[in-house]
Amino acid sequence: MTLELHDVSKQVASVTHIKPTTLSLKAGHFNVLLGETGAGKTSLIKMMAGLDPIASGQISINGTDVTKLSPQQRNVSLVHQFFVNYPHMTVFENIASPLKVAGMAKSEIADRVHDAAKILQLVPMLDRRPHELSGGQQQRTALARAIAKESSAVFLDEPLANLDYKLREELREQLPELFAGRGAVVVYATSEPEEALLLSGHTALMNDGRVTQFGPTAEIYRNPANLDSARVFSDPPINTATVTKTGKTVRIGEGVKWTLSGEPAGLADGDYIVGVRPIHVHPAGKAGKTRVALPGTVQVTELSGSDSSAHFRFGDESWVSLASGVHSFDIGEVHTFYLDTSNCFYFTQDGVLAAKGAG
Amino acid sequence: MKTENQKAWFFVLPVLLLVAFNALIPMMTVVNYSVQETFGNNVFFWQGLDWFQQLMRSERFHAALGRQFLFTGIILAIEIPLGVIIALAMPRKGFWVPVCLVTMALPMLIPWNVVGAMWNIFTLPDIGLLGYFMNHVLGISYNMTQSPFAAWVTIIVMDVWHWTSLVVLLSYAGLVSIPEAYYQAAKIDGASSWSVFRFIQLPKMKQVLTIAILLRFMDSFNIYTEPFVLTGGGPGNSTTLLSIDLVKIALGQFDLGPAAAMSLIYFAITLLVSWLFYTLMTRNDTR
């Protein structure tokens, strides 16, 4: 199955909310919409599901134009960030509700509900009501409803965002198998780059109402087409700084320079924006062929899990370094960080990728 | 070692005093009257439970109590569904929201005796707007000082006009607190608007509706001012509700003992019905 958008856009009070977007989403793997809050992921999902009208363009499912069809006619499912279940129905009735509306025979409804409940480990809870379930079980009920319905497209709008850490990990691992082989186009919205990488499949990067890049997740992670995409697909945010290239030498601020080789060496002389992910700015090590020392003034340090990050100032820019293990810094000290020049992206001043890698 | 901190009493004391002056002491006065007989001059004679027994056998009391339940029943049967329907019809966003809310709140801002007086003048057969219109334009005989039926219709319409807004505002608050996601889920299921009401809006409004029904029950069961000003309990005794009867006994006949006994029974009924209703509604509470 496929879900295709052709030049689909949306306007809210004459302001363009979603800029004309063309996407072709396929079944068989997850299609992740990755972007910050407000990037337009939910808007796009609502348009695809038929909950919101579109200003222009065409949406088709399996080649059939569904632009003017209601959500029910499109045969889609939607799982929300909030646990949305009918409060006065049991888990069974909740899972069965779309099938009942569709007028399916009782015995078939029971079969489908039990199948879905089994997959999501909800069989012992079928007679309970939503308020008697934990958050994870409530969300699994919502997922079971989507699965039992056997819809042609399933939209998961940050479905794990309100679950606690453990449950989130657990359910995220199960999700791809849940939908594998069901033939539905699965669209998964998230604001966490890590989640997109874990779910693999394809990813559409969204920024400010636009899809900035779409393709196999690993590939667009390695090759961001532009600065916006690189920004969306980096957590903590990617470091950027203006550099000047003359010949084979790149200068960043005063006194720090490195020599280019390979692809970036062929760029025309001039100013570029260099993008370096925080994991490629090391807090320790020594200068070498692909390691350039950056003396930075440490401003903020954080420990998260077994990773430590340090925010520091170098030149006019604020930089972030992220490394595994516990590193300690003194606030205000001048610490030497090491920039991995083999993992740099060079963007033009307009933000288009010019060259990458190999310092 | 056990240490006791007596300071806590100081913090509870103000509330205890307040409750004492507000409820306990007046209540005990009434209890005091209800078991005694007085002929004035502050001379009292012990009566025991005589007043209560007398009251329980009194046809006058039975009739007033019956009228009271009938009135409250009709009021709830009209105001609750009507309030929910109006709340459902109100806009959820945009310019008209504050307009609707203020318009709805207006009747509730009018003092109760003014409401009674307003409707009294409004319904006067020859000069009142409604009275004139009914009698002289439509040709329907309408005079609530003569017809018990007209009197009942008038006090009911007046109460509906005065208090449906409360149900509307509470239901509306319940409705707007339902997350958009529920409506989206219903749309995706293709649920009808009746199903949306039955399975989403009604369950989500349950708590505010419980409160609305309780408030309307207590208020309408204890209603006094408006019907007193409007009909004075007449014609005859036809609109003599429990509270009006109570005042007649207490202040008209100055039978303090029977009036006190009646107050206590009145209070007990209100409390019992409210408690029963609330317990039933929250028995297996769901949100």
Side-chain angles (χ1 to χ4, degrees):
Chain A
M1 292 211 183
T2 54
L3 173 69
E4 283 175 322
L5 310 180
H6 301 283
D7 280 331
V8 169
S9 71
K10 183 189 170 189
Q11 295 198 318
V12 176
S14 80
V15 177
T16 308
H17 209 71
I18 298 287
K19 304 192 176 73
T21 299
T22 300
L23 270 181
S24 175
L25 308 172
K26 291 190 173 57
H29 54 71
F30 266 51
N31 297 283
V32 179
L33 299 179
L34 174 62
E36 287 171 13
T37 309
K41 306 182 298 283
T42 301
S43 298
L44 199 61
I45 281 184
K46 278 161 124 187
M47 289 154 70
M48 292 192 278
L51 290 167
D52 275 359
I54 59 176
S56 69
Q58 193 197 42
I59 299 174
S60 54
I61 296 178
N62 284 334
T64 318
D65 183 1
V66 297
T67 316
K68 292 199 171 61
L69 298 186
S70 73
Q72 189 197 6
Q73 290 164 321
R74 291 185 194 196
N75 187 25
V76 295
S77 301
L78 173 61
V79 177
H80 274 275
Q81 175 180 347
F82 313 101
F83 315 135
V84 177
N85 293 299
Y86 299 108
H88 269 215
M89 292 184 183
T90 61
V91 170
F92 183 97
E93 290 166 332
N94 260 292
I95 302 174
S97 64
L99 309 178
K100 239 184 234 165
V101 174
M104 194 177 281
K106 272 221 166 95
S107 59
E108 201 187 342
I109 292 182
D111 284 351
R112 283 223 208 165
V113 171
H114 279 286
D115 285 350
K118 209 189 251 170
I119 297 169
L120 284 151
Q121 299 140 38
L122 285 170
V123 177
M125 289 103 191
L126 280 175
D127 292 327
R128 296 206 202 156
R129 304 217 165 165
H131 71 276
E132 296 165 322
L133 301 176
S134 69
Q137 290 163 342
Q138 289 186 39
Q139 195 62 320
R140 288 218 298 272
T141 305
L143 283 165
R145 190 162 68 218
I147 285 177
K149 196 180 172 188
E150 297 185 2
S151 37
S152 38
V154 179
F155 303 105
L156 309 170
D157 191 0
E158 304 199 39
L160 310 179
N162 279 9
L163 295 173
D164 58 53
Y165 185 73
K166 264 258 155 73
L167 273 170
R168 198 180 338 172
E169 302 257 290
E170 211 179 284
L171 208 48
R172 182 166 48 213
E173 263 177 44
Q174 292 174 359
L175 273 177
E177 340 165 11
L178 280 183
F179 290 98
R182 292 194 173 265
V185 177
V186 183
V187 180
Y188 185 104
T190 178
S191 58
E192 293 171 38
E194 197 191 345
E195 214 162 71
L197 286 168
L198 283 166
L199 291 166
S200 65
H202 281 48
T203 295
L205 301 177
M206 291 198 70
N207 185 45
D208 199 18
R210 234 161 15 96
V211 171
T212 58
Q213 197 176 354
F214 177 63
T217 307
E219 188 168 312
I220 63 170
Y221 178 76
R222 278 189 225 109
N223 301 300
N226 44 53
L227 198 50
D228 281 341
S229 299
R231 282 203 173 111
V232 173
F233 218 153
S234 176
D235 179 40
I238 194 165
N239 298 301
T240 55
T242 305
V243 294
T244 311
K245 176 185 181 283
T246 31
K248 286 199 166 189
T249 309
V250 161
R251 277 170 209 285
I252 177 169
E254 275 173 39
V256 177
K257 57 177 184 180
W258 63 89
T259 311
L260 294 171
S261 65
E263 196 194 349
L267 292 173
D269 286 2
D271 284 357
Y272 291 90
I273 297 167
V274 69
V276 193
R277 291 204 169 96
I279 52 165
H280 296 128
V281 180
H282 306 284
K286 55 180 185 189
K289 208 172 152 233
T290 58
R291 295 277 167 107
V292 180
L294 283 186
T297 314
V298 178
Q299 291 182 311
V300 182
T301 65
E302 290 163 322
L303 271 178
S304 84
S306 55
D307 293 339
S308 25
S309 65
H311 296 245
F312 63 91
R313 272 200 100 72
F314 170 72
D316 295 336
E317 308 288 342
S318 188
W319 289 66
V320 188
S321 152
L322 178 69
S324 55
V326 177
H327 299 261
S328 48
F329 309 91
D330 292 322
I331 306 291
E333 75 164 320
V334 177
H335 183 95
T336 306
F337 294 88
Y338 297 91
L339 178 73
D340 181 351
T341 57
S342 60
N343 277 298
C344 287
F345 301 104
Y346 299 90
F347 300 95
T348 64
Q349 300 281 29
D350 304 334
V352 179
L353 185 71
K356 70 155 198 164
Chain B
M1 199 181 83
K2 193 178 163 194
T3 52
E4 279 192 25
N5 190 346
Q6 302 292 347
K7 241 193 272 175
W9 287 105
F10 285 103
F11 296 111
V12 187
L13 203 61
V15 180
L16 282 180
L17 282 175
L18 196 72
V19 172
F21 277 103
N22 201 4
L24 290 180
I25 293 175
M27 178 100 167
M28 285 319 292
T29 326
V30 177
V31 171
N32 193 28
Y33 282 131
S34 74
V35 291
Q36 299 189 74
E37 163 75 302
T38 176
F39 301 106
N41 300 331
N42 248 355
V43 184
F44 289 91
F45 303 95
W46 176 254
Q47 261 326 95
L49 294 175
D50 286 359
W51 297 133
F52 290 93
Q53 285 175 356
Q54 203 182 81
L55 203 63
M56 286 308 197
R57 292 193 206 101
S58 151
E59 273 180 30
R60 178 177 165 180
F61 176 70
H62 292 167
L65 188 62
R67 282 191 290 267
Q68 188 61 64
F69 270 113
L70 180 67
F71 175 75
T72 296
I74 294 173
I75 289 301
L76 289 179
I78 296 175
E79 290 183 9
I80 301 298
L82 185 64
V84 171
I85 290 170
I86 295 175
L88 284 169
M90 270 168 58
R92 301 286 153 73
K93 49 186 159 195
F95 170 76
W96 289 104
V97 173
V99 177
C100 286
L101 288 178
V102 170
T103 314
M104 278 294 148
L106 274 180
M108 293 194 295
L109 299 176
I110 302 171
W112 297 3
N113 52 349
V114 176
V115 170
M118 259 170 59
W119 279 75
N120 199 344
I121 297 165
F122 185 48
T123 52
L124 282 176
D126 291 317
I127 54 168
L129 198 59
L130 180 68
Y132 181 86
F133 184 75
M134 294 290 277
N135 287 302
H136 300 287
V137 180
L138 294 181
I140 301 167
S141 165
Y142 170 74
N143 185 347
M144 60 160 201
T145 55
Q146 285 165 9
S147 149
F149 180 71
W152 267 84
V153 170
T154 312
I155 58 169
I156 287 166
V157 170
M158 175 181 68
D159 197 84
V160 168
W161 171 82
H162 196 184
W163 286 113
T164 305
S165 304
L166 181 77
V167 184
V168 173
L169 294 182
L170 283 170
S171 307
Y172 186 76
L175 278 176
V176 292
S177 71
I178 301 174
E180 188 58 32
Y182 283 89
Y183 295 110
Q184 291 174 0
K187 248 193 199 175
I188 282 179
D189 281 0
S192 62
S193 46
W194 166 250
S195 299
V196 170
F197 175 71
R198 170 71 187 77
F199 295 112
I200 298 174
Q201 291 170 324
L202 200 57
K204 288 272 170 189
M205 275 197 294
K206 188 183 156 186
Q207 280 177 328
V208 283
L209 275 182
T210 304
I211 300 296
I213 293 172
L214 261 185
L215 286 176
R216 282 317 297 135
F217 165 74
M218 291 191 287
D219 264 3
S220 65
F221 203 75
N222 297 340
I223 192 169
Y224 173 73
T225 316
E226 298 136 288
F228 177 74
V229 175
L230 188 66
T231 65
N237 271 334
S238 61
T239 57
T240 302
L241 301 170
L242 212 47
S243 59
I244 296 179
D245 204 25
L246 178 63
V247 173
K248 275 183 184 167
I249 295 171
L251 301 178
Q253 304 161 215
F254 220 73
D255 285 335
L256 291 186
M262 190 168 160
S263 300
L264 289 177
I265 294 176
Y266 197 169
F267 174 64
I269 294 172
T270 314
L271 197 65
L272 182 73
V273 174
S274 301
W275 174 81
L276 259 179
F277 173 74
Y278 189 78
T279 310
L280 285 176
M281 286 306 281
T282 53
R283 191 184 28 177
N284 37 16
D285 208 1
T286 56
R287 253 165 300 141

